[in-house]
């Protein structure tokens, strides 16, 4: 990896985390509203909150983090949801079960821990798979 590529990846990692920070706020607001406001069970509320953050993050990543990489329309959103979205929801539910259900941590603290744990994997998948340039000759939909 060249020095320019390292700098570019570092800047993209910074932007990814900036968007992720906003996504954390979205997720925690949804989680609090769904759990405390509507009385939903914490795992169901967490899964819905994660999906809200996934949609938020996709929109920002498409237009900010990876704005230099041409989009593929709705297929990119589907791929994002089926990869990083699925990793986030599954990781969140599994870790929340362990941290809240077994370790008896507060659900908001446990949610913050799960977000951090899933972050690196989501960046790698997003950068290397979801937000890649379309292959030459393929059409954007």
């Amino acid at each position: 990896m060249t020095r320019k590529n390292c700098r570019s990846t570092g800047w993209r990692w910074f932007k990814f985390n900036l968007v992720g920070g906003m996504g954390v706020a979205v997720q925690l607001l949804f989680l609090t509203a769904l759990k405390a406001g509507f009385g939903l069970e914490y795992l169901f509320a967490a899964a819905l909150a994660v999906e809200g953050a996934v949609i938020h993050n996709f929109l920002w990543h498409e237009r900010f983090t990876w704005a230099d990489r041409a989009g593929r329309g709705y297929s990119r959103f589907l791929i994002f949801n089926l990869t990083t979205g699925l990793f986030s929801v599954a990781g969140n539910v599994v870790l929340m079960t362990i941290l809240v259900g077994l370790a008896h941590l507060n659900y908001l603290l446990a949610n913050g821990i799960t977000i951090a744990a899933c972050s690196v994997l989501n960046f790698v998948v997003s950068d290397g798979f979801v937000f890649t340039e379309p292959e030459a000759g393929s059409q954007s939909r």
Side-chain angles (χ1 to χ4, degrees):
M1 181 177 269
T2 67
R3 191 172 179 177
K4 182 179 178 185
N5 288 346
C6 284
R7 240 188 345 260
S8 175
T9 300
W11 179 240
R12 200 173 307 274
W13 172 249
F14 174 78
K15 291 179 1 179
F16 176 84
N17 283 295
L18 186 63
V19 169
M22 292 185 302
V24 168
V26 167
Q27 184 171 332
L28 292 176
L29 285 171
F30 278 169
L31 180 59
T32 301
L34 293 169
K35 171 83 172 79
F38 293 101
L40 294 181
E41 192 269 332
Y42 76 90
L43 286 178
F44 185 61
L48 290 176
V50 169
E51 184 57 25
V54 166
I55 293 167
H56 166 273
N57 289 356
F58 173 79
L59 295 171
W60 276 97
H61 288 324
E62 179 80 8
R63 288 168 180 76
F64 176 66
T65 310
W66 284 279
D68 59 316
R69 297 183 183 174
R72 294 184 302 226
Y74 294 110
S75 66
R76 181 176 271 176
F77 176 70
L78 182 62
I79 292 166
F80 185 78
N81 234 321
L82 292 174
T83 56
T84 65
L86 187 60
F87 296 151
S88 294
V89 170
N92 197 285
V93 168
V94 168
L95 290 173
M96 289 286 282
T97 299
I98 293 167
L99 297 173
V100 176
L102 299 176
H104 305 291
L105 287 180
N106 173 277
Y107 69 94
L108 292 174
L109 175 62
N111 194 249
I113 293 169
T114 64
I115 291 166
C118 295
S119 177
V120 173
L121 176 62
N122 285 339
F123 177 78
V124 170
V125 170
S126 291
D127 193 53
F129 182 67
V130 177
F131 292 98
T132 58
E133 293 284 349
E135 293 181 23
S138 70
Q139 295 181 5
S140 182
R141 295 176 198 225

